[in-house]
Amino acid sequence: MSGKSEIFSSIPKVRSKVWLESAGAHIFGGGLAVLLENIKTLGSLQSAAKASNMSYRYAWDLIRTAENHFGKVFIHCHSGGRSGGSSELSSDGLHFLGIFKQLNEQVAVFTNKKFAELYTREKRNAGK
């Protein structure tokens, strides 16, 4: 094999990033989705921020930005005593996380299907 046909030996997967913007400002994306997922799993904003490789302050900023834009509360925080505080996703937080995950999955399916169609067409043309 040489030239153009070499690049068609296997079908690569498309990778993309999806995020929501409003007036040019980032309001919800993969970082916030990972953070919310970690809050759901770990039960603490501090632990979730650490697991998401972000500072506590940055994590709070992501949450506040989304909450302010949508006018919804995404997490409920409970201050704690000796055992520390806890955080949990609100029903709106769970709802928006679910929507974002579905959107990401559907975009991935669509882009990979579309790429495979285009790729196959080009592969046929390269063989001519």
Side-chain angles (χ1 to χ4, degrees):
M1 261 193 253
S2 66
K4 204 174 184 184
S5 61
E6 282 182 10
I7 65 170
F8 296 109
S9 60
S10 67
I11 298 178
K13 295 288 183 189
V14 176
R15 296 291 177 241
S16 61
K17 287 187 175 185
V18 175
W19 64 91
L20 306 177
E21 288 184 359
S22 179
H26 181 98
I27 55 172
F28 201 116
L32 180 55
V34 167
L35 179 65
L36 294 177
E37 196 66 58
N38 284 335
I39 290 170
K40 189 170 100 172
T41 304
L42 301 172
S44 155
L45 177 57
Q46 187 165 353
S47 298
K50 188 174 183 176
S52 303
N53 294 318
M54 53 181 77
S55 72
Y56 182 79
R57 179 181 175 155
Y58 182 74
W60 254 126
D61 286 346
L62 286 178
I63 292 167
R64 285 189 186 118
T65 297
E67 288 180 338
N68 289 337
H69 178 78
F70 291 109
K72 306 285 184 186
V73 173
F74 283 14
I75 66 168
H76 297 294
C77 295
H78 311 283
S79 53
R82 280 189 289 171
S83 62
S86 65
S87 302
E88 62 186 352
L89 296 187
S90 68
S91 58
D92 288 322
L94 284 167
H95 180 73
F96 276 91
L97 178 60
I99 289 171
F100 189 78
K101 286 170 63 175
Q102 283 182 335
L103 177 63
N104 263 326
E105 290 168 11
Q106 290 177 15
V107 166
V109 167
F110 171 79
T111 55
N112 278 297
K113 180 180 175 191
K114 193 64 174 170
F115 179 75
E117 289 171 10
L118 296 170
Y119 186 84
T120 302
R121 184 181 321 143
E122 285 299 313
K123 187 175 180 179
R124 280 193 302 261
N125 291 339
K128 291 180 181 181

